[in-house]
Amino acid sequence: MPKLNVAIVGAGLGGLTLGIALRKFAPDVHFEIYEAASELTEVGAGIGMRGRSWFIMQSLGIDTILLSIAGGGATRTLPLHFRKSDQAEGWEADDLSPTDKRYSFHRAEVQKVLVEHLQETHPIHLHKRLESYVQPADAAAPIELRFQDGTTATCDILVGADGVRSAVRSVMYSQLADAALAAGKTEEEAARLRAHGPAVFSGYIAYRTLIRKDTLSKEDVAQRALNRDAMVIYCGKDRNLVTYPISQGQIVNVAALVSHPDREGTVYDGPWTSSVSKEEITARYQGWEPDAQVIVKHVQGGLKWVINVVKDLPTFVDGRVALLGDAAHSMMPSQGAGAGQGFEDVYILAQLLSRADITKANAATALKVYDEIRRPFSQKIAALSYLTAKTNHFSGPEYAHMTEEQSASGTMMTSEQLRELVAKIRAQADWHNASTVAEDKEAAFRVLDEALKKA
């Protein structure tokens, strides 16, 4: 008989990886995965993994199969190149050789690997959209999940891995607000809690698309911009382009990011994802350097992705309910760390639940430790991702005054100043090597030991 029953709401990368991690590290924990969609699909194109994420993939035993679909193949990691491109002739800063592993993937291919790895033993419940849940005060009583189709399920621990639009987060913060009122808190305090339910507009819109080399002529494929074994960031005022190879180099992933700073922090009125024409994308990059023009020339439309983010939550946990991944800390993509932070959530949570001394009676203590370890770290990375987006768009304090026209003239920034900006971006990513996920796990175990002693 399992010691715990865990319900995972959401079968995206985070939810699927949590299932694999529980099966690997906590075989005495039973879990079920519930997904709102009627079929599994991934919105987006590319995903990157660096050393911390890669350690987790190795721990789960899926690194070898992932290497077979990596953008640079199984033997290379991707260097990083920065260019100032919003002018007739672009400049490239010094190449940044990677100091750790950096692999790129097609997101749908990663999901396929995870699904195939998991469904050997655990089928996924599709078309199960969570409407609400009831968490009894008695730790021995099960949590009841209520789905929109009228069905219910029970669990000892509920994990919301259901993305930026998280239903679990919405219910959690509604219940936290109600509890605050019942405890004598003010309406204003309750409203602040309730406001954490919906995500807010980051002020950035991304245009995501793929360029398939097998559809191009030999002459086009030979052009440098389409034939670089690197992540290249083409920077400009209030916008940038990012390219890198995926699918063993057969596809170029393209992300075009445009900022709308006047709308940051608002609730976006309109669809968060929609199809976009080639013309809408190319119009954003008129007058840019030739390499950037090569990229947009071969774009054939794509996905318009309104980047909504989760404001810093005061907690990822309420009793025996926890949030992870985008449901907890959806962030800007500028550090390429959103999925990776979700993987780190998964690793720490699964390791805590794997402990022999964690039972139904004290499961909430393990979740509190998860929150204590993961929330400050992931929120720090979210803040750094925002700073990197500002730096990439020349919107930091040094160049906030610079207009698009001035930037396009090529006279407002020297190549040395560009190198200084790149050094700042590198510093913003130093966290990758400042500690390891294994060290974070040991820290979590120490905190848990102390918490259990006090219980």
Side-chain angles (χ1 to χ4, degrees), residues 206-223:
Y207 299 88
R208 308 291 298 268
T209 189
L210 303 172
I211 300 175
R212 300 181 183 275
K213 289 186 179 181
D214 60 4
T215 66
L216 307 180
S217 67
K218 290 182 179 179
E219 292 76 14
D220 286 335
V221 171
Q223 295 181 85

Side-chain angles (χ1 to χ4, degrees), residues 3-261:
K3 70 171 186 176
L4 290 169
N5 288 302
V6 175
I8 303 169
V9 173
L13 299 186
L16 294 170
T17 308
L18 179 59
I20 294 171
L22 289 174
R23 188 179 64 182
K24 174 81 172 180
F25 303 130
D28 55 350
V29 172
H30 176 77
F31 65 89
E32 301 283 346
I33 301 179
Y34 301 93
E35 167 57 39
S38 57
E39 60 180 346
L40 294 180
T41 58
E42 264 296 341
V43 175
I47 178 176
M49 294 190 203
R50 293 184 65 171
R52 292 173 64 96
S53 296
W54 198 245
F55 168 81
I56 296 168
M57 298 303 111
Q58 290 174 316
S59 299
L60 295 177
I62 56 177
D63 55 310
T64 300
I65 188 168
L66 286 175
L67 281 177
S68 70
I69 60 170
T75 59
R76 298 192 306 276
T77 59
L78 293 177
L80 186 58
H81 301 260
F82 285 84
R83 296 182 63 82
K84 185 176 188 300
S85 300
D86 60 341
Q87 54 197 51
E89 183 178 347
W91 305 335
E92 187 154 316
D94 298 334
D95 294 349
L96 296 184
S97 298
T99 55
D100 62 356
K101 292 181 176 65
R102 182 185 287 121
Y103 297 108
S104 61
F105 302 92
H106 193 312
R107 183 177 288 264
E109 291 178 348
V110 174
Q111 185 191 53
K112 184 171 183 277
V113 166
L114 298 177
V115 169
E116 291 176 350
H117 201 72
L118 186 62
Q119 284 195 319
E120 298 169 1
T121 56
H122 287 77
I124 298 162
H125 304 285
L126 299 175
H127 211 270
K128 291 294 179 182
R129 185 174 298 279
L130 185 74
E131 185 171 80
S132 65
Y133 63 82
V134 177
Q135 178 178 199
D138 181 2
I143 298 170
E144 183 182 60
L145 282 62
R146 298 172 178 174
F147 299 101
Q148 286 188 2
D149 64 2
T151 61
T152 62
T154 59
C155 62
D156 302 313
I157 293 175
L158 168 60
V159 180
D162 49 344
V164 64
R165 294 180 184 264
S166 174
V168 178
R169 185 182 69 245
S170 180
V171 175
M172 175 189 288
Y173 274 89
S174 177
Q175 293 183 358
L176 285 170
D178 291 343
L181 288 174
K185 301 294 184 180
T186 65
E187 289 284 354
E188 183 180 354
E189 290 172 301
R192 282 199 295 269
L193 287 169
R194 224 178 291 278
H196 287 293
V200 298
F201 183 36
S202 67
Y204 291 81
I205 293 177
Y207 299 88
R208 308 291 298 268
T209 189
L210 303 172
I211 300 175
R212 300 181 183 275
K213 289 186 179 181
D214 60 4
T215 66
L216 307 180
S217 67
K218 290 182 179 179
E219 292 76 14
D220 286 335
V221 171
Q223 295 181 85
R224 182 179 72 160
L226 297 176
N227 203 31
R228 299 187 71 168
D229 289 330
M231 176 178 286
V232 184
I233 302 180
Y234 302 89
C235 298
K237 181 64 177 179
D238 291 336
R239 64 204 65 202
N240 69 290
L241 281 168
V242 181
T243 65
Y244 54 87
I246 58 176
S247 300
Q248 295 181 294
Q250 297 306 304
I251 298 174
V252 179
N253 182 77
V254 181
L257 197 65
V258 178
S259 62
H260 302 270

Side-chain angles (χ1 to χ4, degrees), residues 21 46 78 85-86 88 168 177 246 295 301 313 343 401 419 427 447:
L78 293 177
S85 300
D86 60 341
V168 178
I246 58 176
I295 297 296
L313 299 178
F343 295 147
H401 64 282
R419 282 192 287 271
V447 174

